[in-house]
């Protein structure tokens, strides 16, 4: 206790916070962080994959159309799934797919980013083929078509993969398992 200057009255100096109050604030902040941080990383991962898929599918779509226009038979070309599975650590698409697989090299793909975290596959067909892959919709067409499938490990845990698709018939990106 501190003696006041006025008339010898003792007053208590009550500035600051008690240890209990500080501990309560720290506990509340810890609870909020435990809820918010995993959600932040999950949404950040989704955004990273979504931006990669959109850019890469755009690049592949353009190269497929160029290939059809320049080829002697006027057809699209299938490209095998590459890399073989989504890679949480990322893969260099140029070395693992373009250099290693002649079809990807033939398409002259120029990946928008050096490292890719999703795998990509191109399937083509004619009006006689049933176009839609399982889980997606695609209208029957009287011409040749293509669709691109991207598979991403959204949780970077080897669990359920998110799958994306665009096609020459409908350029709107379709999605499966993105929120899981």
């Amino acid at each position: 206790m501190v003696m006041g200057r006025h008339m010898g009255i003792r007053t208590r100096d009550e500035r600051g916070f008690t240890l209990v109050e500080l501990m309560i604030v720290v506990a509340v902040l810890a609870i909020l962080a435990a809820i918010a941080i995993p959600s932040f990383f999950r949404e950040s991962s989704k955004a990273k994959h979504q931006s990669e898929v959109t850019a890469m599918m755009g690049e592949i779509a353009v190269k497929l159309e160029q290939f059809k226009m320049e080829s002697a038979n006027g057809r699209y070309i299938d490209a095998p799934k590459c890399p073989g599975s989504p890679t949480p650590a990322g893969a260099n698409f140029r070395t693992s797919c373009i250099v290693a697989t002649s079809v990807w090299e033939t398409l002259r793909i120029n990946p928008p980013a050096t490292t890719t975290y999703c795998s990509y596959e191109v399937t083509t067909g004619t009006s006689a083929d049933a176009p839609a892959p399982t889980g997606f919709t695609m209208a029957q067409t009287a011409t040749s078509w293509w669709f691109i499938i991207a598979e991403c490990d959204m949780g970077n845990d080897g669990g359920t993969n998110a799958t994306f698709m665009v096609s020459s018939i409908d350029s709107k990106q379709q999605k499966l398992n993105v929120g899981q």
Side-chain angles (χ1 to χ4, degrees), residues 128-152:
D129 301 319
T134 305
F136 294 103
T137 58
M138 196 165 99
Q140 190 69 31
T141 179
T143 62
S144 60
W145 50 264
W146 55 259
F147 63 79
I148 306 165
I149 295 288
E151 192 174 274
C152 305

Side-chain angles (χ1 to χ4, degrees), residues 63-138:
K63 298 301 177 143
L64 283 167
E65 294 300 333
Q66 286 177 347
F67 178 83
K68 180 182 177 187
M69 290 173 53
E70 294 171 359
S71 70
N73 62 7
R75 297 188 68 175
Y76 298 114
I77 185 172
D78 287 336
K81 185 176 183 179
C82 197
S85 62
T87 34
N92 184 320
F93 194 84
R94 184 167 307 286
T95 58
S96 63
C97 298
I98 297 172
V99 173
T101 311
S102 61
V103 175
W104 289 104
E105 186 177 18
T106 300
L107 284 172
R108 298 187 313 259
I109 299 296
N110 185 18
T114 303
T115 305
T116 58
Y117 299 89
C118 304
S119 62
Y120 298 89
E121 179 178 16
V122 176
T123 303
T124 65
T126 64
S127 59
D129 301 319
T134 305
F136 294 103
T137 58
M138 196 165 99

